[in-house]
């Protein structure tokens, strides 16, 4: 069921922002996991959303919630994929030290960018519905329910090759692509100076 109207449109945008934050944090560094099948992919996301639901309804401070989100999502990470995908073509020409510095700065940026949105999920929940394999990935469909709003689809994408969480789609909108546009715009405003972008992301 899709949400309609101006008020709902604003809510969708806010939720997209919040979920993007959750999804991107999930892609940040963590322990490796074995390759998986559809059932394991669904179980993996079931564990992730269970932890998410627990944190967003814990009633703790925003700072504590952010830290707990980072700790949970760090277990399901593919930092190179999300960070370098967000950086786009500029990542291919960056040095190893620049890539490493960007990854660290990107994580701090994501935590700040979306941390304030976590409160929007209080009283809501995310529930796993089904999963399917699409080429070298598994798409795990979930329903997100915010308090007093109509439920909507969120698809978690898990790599079949390494069993890691690599993307999230909110009503068809990829967070990886969304962040690539955002980072690209930020880099353009700095005349393509990657070192300046890294410094600014670190400084907040």
């Amino acid at each position: 069921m899709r949400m309609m109207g101006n008020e709902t449109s604003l809510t969708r945008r806010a939720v997209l922002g919040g979920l993007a934050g959750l999804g991107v944090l999930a892609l940040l560094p963590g322990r490796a996991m074995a390759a998986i099948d559809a059932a394991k992919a669904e179980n993996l996301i079931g564990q992730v959303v269970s932890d998410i639901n627990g944190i967003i309804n814990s009633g703790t401070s925003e700072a504590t919630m952010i830290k707990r989100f980072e700790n949970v999502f760090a277990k399901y990470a593919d930092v190179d994929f999300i960070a370098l995908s967000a950086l786009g073509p500029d990542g291919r020409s960056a040095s190893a030290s620049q890539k490493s510095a960007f990854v660290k700065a990107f994580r701090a940026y994501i935590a700040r960018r979306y941390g304030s949105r976590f409160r929007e999920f209080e009283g809501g929940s995310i529930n796993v519905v089904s999963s399917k394999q699409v080429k070298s990935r598994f798409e795990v469909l979930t329903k997100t329910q915010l308090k007093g709003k109509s439920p909507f689809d969120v698809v978690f994408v898990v790599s079949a090759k390494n069993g890691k969480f690599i993307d999230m789609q909110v009503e068809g909108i990829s967070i990886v692509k969304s962040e690539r546009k955002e980072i690209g715009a930020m880099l353009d405003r700095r005349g393509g100076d990657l070192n300046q972008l890294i410094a600014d992301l670190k400084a907040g």
Side-chain angles (χ1 to χ4, degrees), residues 94-157:
S95 66
S97 61
Q98 284 178 315
K99 290 178 181 179
S100 178
F102 177 76
V103 166
K104 292 178 181 178
F106 184 77
R107 178 168 186 157
Y109 149 78
I110 287 297
R112 291 191 308 268
R113 175 172 165 81
Y114 297 108
S116 63
R117 295 189 178 276
F118 292 154
R119 288 295 181 193
E120 297 170 15
F121 292 86
E122 287 185 327
S125 63
I126 305 172
N127 299 291
V128 174
V129 176
S130 62
S131 62
K132 64 179 180 179
Q133 184 166 7
V134 180
K135 297 182 179 179
S136 62
R137 301 178 175 186
F138 292 101
E139 295 184 355
V140 181
L141 173 65
T142 69
K143 286 287 184 182
T144 295
Q145 175 73 65
L146 296 188
K147 191 173 182 179
K149 304 295 180 181
S150 298
F152 56 95
D153 293 348
V154 177
V155 175
F156 290 79
V157 182

Side-chain angles (χ1 to χ4, degrees), residues 15-176:
V15 171
L16 173 58
L19 283 175
L22 306 186
V24 172
L25 287 175
L27 303 172
L28 297 179
R31 68 189 183 204
M33 296 162 54
I36 58 177
D37 58 19
K40 290 181 179 178
E42 188 170 329
N43 183 62
L44 170 69
I45 299 306
Q47 294 174 8
V48 172
V49 300
S50 177
D51 287 340
I52 292 173
N53 288 332
I55 294 170
I56 63 179
N57 293 302
S58 65
T60 58
S61 68
E62 183 175 290
T64 299
M65 290 174 72
I66 292 172
K67 182 62 177 177
R68 289 179 63 187
F69 273 121
E70 289 189 77
N71 291 340
V72 169
F73 293 132
K75 295 186 295 185
Y76 311 103
D78 191 340
V79 66
D80 289 340
F81 180 86
I82 183 59
L84 296 182
S85 291
L87 187 55
D90 297 278
R92 292 194 287 269
S93 59
S95 66
S97 61
Q98 284 178 315
K99 290 178 181 179
S100 178
F102 177 76
V103 166
K104 292 178 181 178
F106 184 77
R107 178 168 186 157
Y109 149 78
I110 287 297
R112 291 191 308 268
R113 175 172 165 81
Y114 297 108
S116 63
R117 295 189 178 276
F118 292 154
R119 288 295 181 193
E120 297 170 15
F121 292 86
E122 287 185 327
S125 63
I126 305 172
N127 299 291
V128 174
V129 176
S130 62
S131 62
K132 64 179 180 179
Q133 184 166 7
V134 180
K135 297 182 179 179
S136 62
R137 301 178 175 186
F138 292 101
E139 295 184 355
V140 181
L141 173 65
T142 69
K143 286 287 184 182
T144 295
Q145 175 73 65
L146 296 188
K147 191 173 182 179
K149 304 295 180 181
S150 298
F152 56 95
D153 293 348
V154 177
V155 175
F156 290 79
V157 182
V158 178
S159 171
K161 295 180 179 178
N162 60 20
K164 295 182 179 181
F165 187 125
I166 57 174
D167 199 4
M168 177 185 285
Q169 298 165 1
V170 182
E171 294 196 316
I173 301 175
S174 164
I175 63 161
V176 171

